[in-house]
Amino acid sequence: MFESNEIRADISTKSVLDTLDTVRELPLPPNFLWGAATAAYQVEGGAQQDGKGPSIWDEFSHREPSVTSGEDGDIACDHYNRLAEDIALLSSYGVDVYRFSICWSRLIPLGGRNDPINEKGIAFYNTLIDGLIAHGIKPAVTLYHWDLPLELHTRYGGMLNSADFQADFEHYARLCFSRFGDRVKQWITFNEPYIVALFGYHSGILAPGHSTKTGHDSTTEPWRVGHSLILAHAAAVQTYATDFLPSQKGNISIVLNSDFYEPYDATSEADKAAARRRLEFYVGWFGDPIYLGGDYPESMRQQLGSRLPQFTEAEQGLLKKTAPHNTFYGMNHYTSQYARARTTPPHEEDHTGNVEELTTNSKGVEIGPLSGVSWLRVTHKQFRKLLNWAWDRYQRPIYITENGCPCPGENSMALGQAVDDQFRVRYFGLYIDAISQAINEDGVEVAGYYAWSLMDNFEWAAGYSIRFGITHVDFATGTRTPKKSAAYLEETFGKRRAIPRNGNIANGIP
Ligand code: GBH
């Protein structure tokens, strides 16, 4: 499964650049926000510092025999010990926003609602938040980016236990709102629930590594985990809306990721339906209950039957009540694929809506040029379509909470070549053009763009070999070196926004 992460050192960046479209530098609204994003386990390190408890990723990345790249996040970018330097770096890039995640087991080492709180963990995030604000940078905080306190997994199966997980997450969220909410105005509960449920409990590529191969029931676990995530999200939103919103006046929502899907055969009704169904299984799974306050998409109910949990009446009430408090749509987006309807009945473990996912269509046309990782092709035109799809369905201002790519062959380049990241510059430029078109030509509300990632980091199961940063990190020494894409982002957002950035306009969070 890791072959799919192979880098493409065989392709020279120049010849690949020739296959990419030209950037048009189309305009953006003056109050459009831009920034950079990271996640705790991918950058912090300090795995055992200052009372932090272990998370499922500490356990998973050390599991023997190795089930990932063999690398771990013990040190990662050592961000935990280089905080001042990294805030200065962000400031030098001129970002409006920094999206980071809080490591739950730094605040509550055992994770549970009756477990002790670690004030040193709170102090770390206070220093970060205060440092950002002192530099005029808005913090956007993710409560959960995949690092569940290990104890909750051992104690009751983590997200497989909806009631306990909901209660513990609500308690952790409340702690964060009460300690940080005076200064944090954009909250994200969960990063990519789809990936948590399917990569954690179906393919087993991510922690905790459940799959049929490892003796777990992948025909039911992902759907139960998804259910728990939706309910825990709703509980946190309810708590925020009731106890914090009146005084703190911030925003809260979730981040949903997905590819966009084009029909494999553009003339086939079955493939067109397959492309629509694929998005319902990807995004509607979470988006419909959360933003529409409704049930799972009908297509999912039909295929999954009793394996898809039911919402009780009380749960439905909670979803209805909290739906309007999700004031934005957080979108992580990287790439797109073709969807082809399968002609055989769905396999019990199918999670796609019985759709085959392909990179080449019926006419032999590739969806887009390959980046430095096999799952990511440059598909900016499909990005514009996904923005329209999300806006039409959910009618919330969209924040692109992650977008980025590794350059072909980047990991095997010398520093001087790696920081001259023209492929990434072009990718950013094209995707930002797509945002401009969605806003100005299609009437979609897009309010911000957070590049993934501030710096090269621990790319989960792929370890350190896949680099998404706008900053190069030498993992042996921790040395940071800005790449050209960092300067490009500052320059392009400066140019595209009608008036130059100043203290007054970076205030666009609705
Ligand atoms: C995001 O997920 C994550 O939020 C972020 O932490 C991560 O660093 C970033 O993407 C870049 O990957 O190896 O063929 O099995 C995006 C969704 C899910 C896309 C896992 C890649 C692995 C495909 N990702 N998927 S494969």
Side-chain angles (χ1 to χ4, degrees), residues 1-6 38-39 42 99 145-146 191-192 194-196 199 203 205-206 255 257-259 282 332-335 373-376 401-406 452-453 457-462 466 468:
M1 59 192 161
F2 303 117
E3 302 78 31
S4 62
N5 268 320
E6 263 170 47
T38 61
Q42 295 182 270
R99 173 182 178 233
H145 200 126
W146 307 357
N191 181 71
E192 304 185 347
Y194 179 96
I195 302 297
V196 173
F199 284 72
S203 68
I205 288 176
L206 301 176
V255 160
N257 75 296
S258 85
D259 296 1
Y282 215 128
N332 285 0
H333 178 73
Y334 291 89
T335 195
V373 64
S374 68
W375 57 265
L376 201 166
T401 38
E402 286 181 24
N403 175 245
C405 72
W452 185 268
S453 174
N457 59 46
F458 179 72
E459 179 55 16
W460 306 112
I466 306 289
F468 274 86

Side-chain angles (χ1 to χ4, degrees), residues 97 164 464:
V97 190
D164 275 321
Y464 296 96

Side-chain angles (χ1 to χ4, degrees), residues 2 13-15 17 71 90 111 120 137 141 144 188 213 215 221-222 232 250-251 285 392 437 461 501:
F2 303 117
T13 301
K14 178 149 180 18
S15 69
L17 273 182
E71 295 175 313
L90 276 161
K120 286 191 174 157
I137 301 167
V141 177
Y144 186 84
I188 290 152
K213 269 180 278 166
E221 286 194 358
N251 293 275
W285 178 8
D392 290 346
Q437 292 174 306
R501 174 173 177 271

Side-chain angles (χ1 to χ4, degrees), residues 262-273 339 361-363:
E262 297 278 10
Y264 170 74
D265 174 349
T267 65
S268 151
E269 288 309 318
D271 288 355
K272 285 195 245 178
N361 72 6
S362 62
K363 298 206 164 117

